[in-house]
Structures are given as structure tokens and as C-alpha cells.
């Protein structure tokens, strides 16, 4: 993911993109923790954790399949700078 980010986001935009990405990630974490607490209160904690872990595992497998797709290789390969020094 870092290689994709470094290769596809212009240097002058990296700070802004990182800030927006971090904001979305933090908001998502807060929302998921609140949802986990609510569902654990409504249902059993064990069932809630099993459902959330299953969703996370499916997401991780889907993300891995997307990254390992051979058509996406150019997006994740190291790009060398061919300019002369």
C-alpha cells in the first residue's frame, strides 16, 4: 500500500492526502468501536465478535485478491527515476 501511495500521489499533495486518509481512518475506527459496543449490548459479546471478525477476514481476503491481481502490478511496482543526475 505504501508503494502504491508513493508512486501515485504527487509529492506536493502527499500531506493533504495523508491528512484526509488519516481523518477517514480515525472516524471509521470510532464508528466501528461504537457499533461494536452497541451490538455487544444488544446481542452477546461472543456473537458480536464472531460477526465483526468474519467481516474483517472477508475484507482482508478481498483486499489481498485485489492487490495480488496481475493487472494491478504496475501500480505497485517500484518506479525508477530515469532522469540524469
Amino acid at each position: 500500500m505504501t508503494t502504491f501511495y508513493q508512486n501515485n500521489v504527487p509529492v506536493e499533495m502527499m500531506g493533504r492526502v495523508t491528512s484526509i486518509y488519516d481523518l477517514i481512518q480515525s472516524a471509521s475506527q470510532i464508528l466501528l468501536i461504537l457499533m461494536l459496543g452497541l451490538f455487544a449490548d444488544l446481542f452477546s459479546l461472543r456473537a458480536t465478535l464472531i460477526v465483526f471478525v468474519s467481516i474483517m477476514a472477508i475484507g482482508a481476503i478481498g483486499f489481498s485478491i485485489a492487490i495480488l491481481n496481475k493487472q494491478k502490478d504496475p501500480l505497485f511496482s517500484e518506479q525508477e527515476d530515469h532522469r540524469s543526475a
Side-chain angles (χ1 to χ4, degrees), residues 13-33:
M13 296 290 291
M14 277 191 180
R16 294 182 199 125
V17 172
T18 301
S19 295
I20 292 171
Y21 175 74
D22 287 343
L23 176 68
I24 293 169
Q25 181 181 8
S26 297
S28 298
Q29 284 177 328
I30 292 169
L31 182 66
L32 287 172
I33 289 169

Side-chain angles (χ1 to χ4, degrees), residues 1-77:
M1 188 69 179
T2 301
T3 303
F4 173 80
Y5 175 76
Q6 291 171 342
N7 287 341
N8 296 294
V9 176
V11 174
E12 59 274 358
M13 296 290 291
M14 277 191 180
R16 294 182 199 125
V17 172
T18 301
S19 295
I20 292 171
Y21 175 74
D22 287 343
L23 176 68
I24 293 169
Q25 181 181 8
S26 297
S28 298
Q29 284 177 328
I30 292 169
L31 182 66
L32 287 172
I33 289 169
L34 289 173
M35 286 175 49
L36 181 69
L38 176 67
F39 288 141
D41 195 39
L42 296 175
F43 307 104
S44 72
L45 180 60
R46 180 174 291 171
T48 302
L49 290 176
I50 289 171
V51 169
F52 272 73
V53 168
S54 299
I55 292 169
M56 288 176 16
I58 290 168
I61 291 168
F63 190 66
S64 297
I65 290 170
I67 287 177
L68 296 174
N69 187 349
K70 291 294 181 190
Q71 295 173 343
K72 306 284 186 194
D73 278 352
L75 295 174
F76 295 98
S77 65

